[in-house]
């Protein structure tokens, strides 16, 4: 989730750098937040039915698509559309998948500690990826920075394909 945190940090400045006025960039981000509401409201329809691995690959795929659009310097209206449709959905999916995987890995008595540990790792990854992305933006530009984030997501995707995860379809966390 460090990659998505870096994306969230740099998407507003990327949009203004691409020519979108700051006032419009903030509206885009507000709309992006509203787009995640159906995902949260209807999570019970799919989160318990789909395997953890499939959901994780889907979330990584959404983030990869988003970062590739930014990294390929597509027109600003394309970047705006992608930001509105995918920015917060990938993040919300990752949060729910994290809960699903942690709850299926260990006993209920240690799940809160496991979630706290996962959150701590996430915060550390966010700090690291924000620092690296900021450095890349300063030295090489937004396109290169988002392509590097895309490469990290490709590596994560490949790792998840080969990594064993509990299915988590036997739980009823979201329904």
């Amino acid at each position: 989730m460090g990659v998505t945190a870096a994306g969230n940090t740099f998407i507003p400045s990327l949009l203004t750098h691409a020519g979108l006025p700051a006032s419009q960039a903030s509206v885009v981000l507000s709309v992006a937040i509203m787009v995640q509401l159906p995902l949260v409201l209807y999570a019970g329809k799919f989160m318990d039915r789909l395997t953890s691995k499939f959901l994780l690959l889907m979330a990584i795929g959404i983030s990869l698509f988003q970062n590739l659009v930014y990294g390929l310097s597509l027109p600003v209206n394309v970047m705006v559309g992608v930001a509105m449709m995918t920015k917060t959905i990938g993040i919300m999916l990752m949060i729910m998948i994290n809960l699903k995987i942690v709850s299926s890995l260990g006993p209920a008595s240690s799940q809160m500690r496991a979630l706290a540990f996962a959150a701590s790792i996430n915060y550390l990854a966010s700090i690291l990826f924000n620092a690296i992305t900021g450095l890349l933006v300063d030295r090489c530009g937004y396109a290169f920075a988002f392509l590097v984030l895309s490469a990290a997501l490709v590596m994560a995707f490949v790792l998840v394909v080969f990594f064993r995860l509990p299915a988590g379809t036997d739980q009823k966390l979201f329904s």
Side-chain angles (χ1 to χ4, degrees):
M1 289 186 39
V3 172
T4 55
N8 286 336
T9 300
F10 291 97
I11 287 171
S13 59
L14 165 71
L15 294 176
T16 56
H17 181 263
L20 196 66
S23 60
Q24 289 180 8
S26 64
V27 170
V28 166
L29 300 176
S30 298
V31 170
I33 291 169
M34 300 307 281
V35 169
Q36 81 179 1
L37 290 178
L39 175 71
V40 173
L41 294 174
Y42 294 105
K45 303 281 187 202
F46 63 92
M47 286 298 292
D48 290 331
R49 294 183 189 154
L50 301 174
T51 66
S52 297
K53 181 179 273 195
F54 178 79
L55 289 166
L56 189 53
L57 290 172
M58 190 168 68
I60 292 170
I62 289 169
S63 294
L64 177 60
F65 171 72
Q66 179 185 18
N67 281 283
L68 283 173
V69 166
Y70 304 145
L72 296 174
S73 298
L74 296 178
V76 71
N77 57 344
V78 174
M79 287 193 265
V80 165
V82 168
M84 287 196 298
M85 297 308 296
T86 64
K87 181 181 175 298
T88 58
I89 289 176
I91 295 165
M92 187 54 61
L93 265 176
M94 289 299 288
I95 291 168
M96 291 188 286
I97 294 163
N98 188 25
L99 176 63
K100 181 175 180 163
I101 292 172
V102 167
S103 69
S104 63
L105 286 176
S109 61
S110 61
Q111 286 178 5
M112 292 311 286
R113 278 190 302 267
L115 284 170
F117 180 74
S120 298
I121 296 298
N122 178 40
Y123 294 137
L124 291 172
S126 298
I127 292 167
L128 178 66
F129 273 93
N130 271 312
I132 291 169
T133 305
L135 184 66
L136 289 171
V137 166
D138 288 343
R139 297 232 170 115
C140 305
Y142 286 98
F144 184 77
F146 278 99
L147 288 175
V148 170
L149 292 176
S150 297
L153 287 166
V154 167
M155 289 187 284
F157 193 93
V158 170
L159 286 173
V160 170
V161 166
F162 294 107
F163 199 72
R164 284 188 49 217
L165 289 172
T169 53
D170 56 338
Q171 302 175 33
K172 299 296 178 213
L173 292 173
F174 299 97
S175 50

